[in-house]
Every structure is written in C-alpha cells, then in structure tokens.
Amino acid sequence: MGFEGEIALVIGTRARQVRPEDGWRHVRWVTAANDAGVYDLRYADRGSNLRSKGADGFTPIGPRLLDAPELDPAGLRLRTWVNGEVVQDDTTDTLLFPFGELIADLSRLVTLEPGDVILTGTPAGASVAEPGDVVEVEVGDGRFSTGVLRNPIADADHDLEPWGAQPRTDRAEEESAYGAGYVPEPLLEDEDLADGLRSVAVATLSAQMRSRGLPHMSIDGVRPVSGTAMVGVAHTLRYLPLREDLFKRYGTGMNAQKRAIEELRPGHVLVMDARRDPTAGTLGDILALRAAKRGAAGVVTDGAVRDAAAIAGLGLPVYAAGRHPSVLGRRHVPWDTGVPIACGGALVQPGDLIVGDTDGVVVVPPDLAEELIADCREQERQERFITEQVGAGESVDGLYPLGPAWRDAYENWCKGETQ
C-alpha cells in the first residue's frame, strides 16, 4: 500500500469554466490528505484508481479545515512522516501547476460543486507503508495548521473475495510504489555468491575483469573512511554542479540526497556521483547513521564526507575521495536517484554488485559474478604458491605469472593444500 501526503482543496462555490486567475476564489477550505492506494490492483483500474484507491478507510482527510481566504496558495508547506521520520517536505511555491490552474482545468469539463474535494498531487518521497506503520500528514503556512492527520496502517479483517480482480504486480508497479531505484528484495539472495565475493580480493576481481576486456570497473580515488570489507547491490545518487537559483528547489527539504537514504534497503550500497569533486561534503554522520539503520551494506562517494570521525564509529563501510567540513550547498545540488551514474570514472547502474576492501572499490556485473569468483579463487591459489616459492628464494622468471616449468610443482602443491 502506497501513501501520498497531499494538500486537499474543498470547493466552496460552484465552478464551471472558470479562468486560472479566478480558480482559487472557489476554494473555501484547505486540509491534509493521505492518498493511499494498493498498487497490486492498479492494473485492473486502467487509470481510474477505483479499486486501488477506493477501498473503505482510504484517503483520509483532516483533521482541521483551514480557511482558504486566509491563506497564500503559494505559501503552504506539506510534510509527511512514517513512524516519526520525515519522508516528504515541500512547499507550494514549487508546484508545476498552481491551484487556480488545476481548478480551471477541471472546470472546463466538470462542474465543481460546493463540498467537492480535489487532491492536488504528492511531492517526492512517497513510498510504501506496511501494517504496524503510522503515516502522518500536516499542511500549514507557519501561522495556521491542519494539525497532524494520523493514520495507523493495519491488516484488513477479511480476505479479498475470489470474485473480481485479484492482486497482481510487476516491476513497473513496484518501482512506482517504492520510488526510483527500487530493487526487489532480497537484494543478494544467494548467500554463497555474497560469501564468494567477500572471499576474494578487490585487486583479483579487477585483474579478472580486465582479462575479460573490462578495464574500467574500479571506482578510482576512493579510500576507506570506516570499515573495509563491503559487498552489496548498488543504489545510486547523482549530484549536479551547484546553481544557486535551483538550490532551494532541489537542495532543501526532502531532497534527492535524503530520498536516496530513505530508499535504501538491507544490502544496498549507496553509490554517489559527485563528479570527483572532494571540495564539499556529500554525506555526514546523521545520514550515515540513517543508512546504517536502514541496513545498508555501505556507501561510496567520489566526493567528500564530513563528520569523518563520527562516521568511522558507526561500523558502516564508507569509501570517499576526501574529507571536507562544508555543507551540501557549496559545490553540489542533489538531483536524482536510481539512475546510471559515473562514480570515480566507473559507470554504475542500479543493481550492479559493489565490492570493496582496503585496496578500493570495484563494480561487478551481476551476470559475471559466479565465474569471476571461481577464476579469482584459482588466481589467488596460484599466487599463494608463487609467494611460497619467492619466499624460499626462487626467481620470479617463469614463476610469476605461473609458467609451464612450474605447472607440475603447482599441481602437486595443490594436492597437499586440499589434504
């Protein structure tokens, strides 16, 4: 079930074919709404949302009505919380279509009557709630507030009857419900695969990918800030260069940086594209703590982190190109999540495997992981043999890499290692 905090407009006077500049005059009250919907039934509605959003108990509004004539329609703030955490925070000065234009558009075809309620859309941060969660929504302008609309989420007290449409979903609906960058759980369900990636060195993985014609899979310039060993699935965040006139819209409130943190699922590695600019922070201790609480497997940024000492104490693997005390708006605007990015010269797609150790971080294509692990283990076995021989005084000529003259000795050594 998806939640969507929204501003609800309650019509006070009849509106038919009104002009955009007159639309707001027909609004009598403003309140908060939670436009809840079950994505599993959207396929059967063909856009009407009758089944997916029309169930009993859905779309609560309130708790108080605000007098519209007392409000500036461009000066309202909407906030949504899930279990006490802010997930949506935006103001109406960023609306693509002002309220008056929405009313005028609707009134071209539909006569709006007193008491009609219009839900006006949801800002970024809408996602999915589960039984046991509490969703809260509030609308205000700094002087007046609707109060907090509080919606505990509970299981229905009955099963869905077998007649009629049954729940069904696909990847597109899952992405719509959970937000950009959604990766179905479990993220890395093959524990043997995860353990295999942990068992081999990043340097070996890099060498094996290079031998397959993939020489650009390392995320260059990043070093451990905290922790070392890291294996997970990429979730991405992209920063663009700072533009002061756009920062208020994209850099404040529940911006892409915060959304990326709240989109993290157990096993995700958040990979940030900061254009290799280490002269501004892209992660601080509070968001790093939130990533850890979300179950993230790590964070990688080709920019800088701030609060490095505090981050180091979290136990969350974090790799960065540097450390810097600045706040976000010095160099970067957080722009979008769940898209292909460039991080440290490597192309990273959501769903790629990310592996890190003390040497650095590499990107591993999921479809190559199993064969890479097998070949890495063989390479590292050979290197253990070679290390022993060099330690005993042997020349590296013909030995490193392993040549034909040493093949029999290596095979005999392997038999002894497995006994």
Side-chain angles (χ1 to χ4, degrees):
M1 191 196 78
F3 64 85
E4 296 178 357
E6 302 202 19
I7 296 173
L9 310 180
V10 184
I11 296 298
T13 58
R14 200 167 194 252
R16 182 172 182 269
Q17 297 180 354
V18 301
R19 298 180 61 81
E21 58 267 28
D22 297 325
W24 178 248
R25 299 176 190 171
H26 294 269
V27 180
R28 179 64 182 86
W29 294 287
V30 172
T31 192
N34 179 3
D35 191 15
V38 176
Y39 283 78
D40 309 66
L41 289 171
R42 294 213 310 181
Y43 79 94
D45 285 341
R46 296 185 181 274
S48 74
N49 284 330
L50 175 63
R51 295 174 183 83
S52 62
K53 292 193 174 185
D56 291 344
F58 281 30
T59 319
I61 64 173
R64 290 196 289 272
L65 297 168
L66 303 182
D67 288 329
E70 299 291 326
L71 304 173
D72 175 4
L76 299 177
R77 182 185 186 187
L78 168 71
R79 288 182 293 173
T80 305
W81 297 262
V82 176
N83 302 327
E85 297 283 344
V86 176
V87 294
Q88 294 183 289
D89 189 348
D90 211 342
T91 53
T92 49
D93 61 351
T94 65
L95 284 170
L96 294 177
F97 303 103
F99 294 146
E101 190 168 337
L102 293 178
I103 293 164
D105 182 27
L106 289 168
S107 74
R108 294 184 306 155
L109 302 171
V110 177
T111 299
L112 300 173
E113 302 285 359
D116 284 347
V117 179
I118 301 170
L119 302 190
T120 57
T122 194
S127 188
V128 168
E130 299 178 353
D133 290 342
V134 176
V135 180
E136 297 173 303
V137 185
E138 181 185 21
V139 174
D141 68 351
R143 301 171 303 150
F144 305 109
S145 169
T146 60
V148 175
L149 175 66
R150 188 174 187 272
N151 311 138
I153 310 303
D155 281 315
D157 59 3
H158 62 280
D159 293 331
L160 190 65
E161 291 79 1
W163 52 86
Q166 294 300 300
R168 178 173 95 194
T169 191
D170 56 26
R171 179 63 186 273
E173 290 295 352
E174 289 170 346
E175 290 180 342
S176 295
Y178 284 96
Y182 169 66
V183 178
E185 290 185 328
L187 291 167
L188 193 52
E189 60 183 350
D190 189 339
E191 282 300 322
D192 290 338
L193 186 65
D195 289 343
L197 290 170
R198 292 186 189 99
S199 72
V200 297
V202 161
T204 314
L205 282 166
S206 179
Q208 286 295 327
M209 286 190 285
R210 188 169 62 250
S211 72
R212 288 166 168 79
L214 297 171
H216 306 298
M217 305 303 284
S218 61
I219 297 180
D220 294 340
V222 301
R223 295 292 179 266
V225 176
S226 64
T228 50
M230 177 181 69
V231 173
V233 175
H235 180 51
T236 59
L237 166 62
R238 182 171 63 137
Y239 292 96
L240 292 182
L242 176 64
R243 242 183 71 175
E244 289 80 358
D245 61 318
L246 295 177
F247 190 78
K248 181 179 179 182
R249 179 171 183 178
Y250 290 97
T252 60
M254 198 64 189
N255 58 32
Q257 180 197 42
K258 293 176 181 176
R259 293 200 309 272
I261 295 291
E262 293 300 330
E263 290 164 359
L264 291 173
R265 292 172 165 267
H268 263 150
V269 173
L270 178 58
V271 185
M272 300 182 184
D273 173 3
R275 307 177 319 284
R276 293 184 167 185
D277 184 345
T279 63
T282 59
L283 180 77
D285 59 338
I286 292 176
L287 293 186
L289 174 60
R290 181 59 178 160
K293 293 294 185 182
R294 297 283 296 170
V299 178
V300 181
T301 175
D302 63 0
V305 298
R306 58 184 299 197
D307 310 315
I311 290 174
L314 295 176
L316 175 72
V318 175
Y319 292 76
R323 306 178 185 196
H324 201 281
S326 76
V327 294
L328 183 63
R330 184 171 188 265
R331 296 289 189 190
H332 309 299
V333 179
W335 200 259
D336 49 12
T337 70
V339 295
I341 62 169
C343 183
L347 192 160
V348 182
Q349 296 189 99
D352 281 339
L353 301 178
I354 306 296
V355 185
D357 65 14
T358 53
D359 281 340
V361 181
V362 291
V363 183
V364 175
D367 57 341
L368 292 180
E370 288 189 4
E371 65 179 75
L372 283 170
I373 291 168
D375 290 349
C376 283
R377 285 173 170 167
E378 171 58 22
Q379 178 181 331
E380 292 183 351
R381 186 183 297 113
Q382 290 185 19
E383 290 176 353
R384 287 196 300 274
F385 169 76
I386 293 167
T387 298
E388 284 189 16
Q389 308 313 310
V390 172
E394 296 290 346
S395 167
V396 295
D397 185 23
L399 175 61
Y400 183 53
L402 194 68
W406 283 95
R407 181 59 60 178
D408 288 343
Y410 170 65
E411 297 294 342
N412 289 328
W413 179 88
C414 288
K415 292 175 184 176
E417 191 183 45
T418 57
Q419 291 177 354

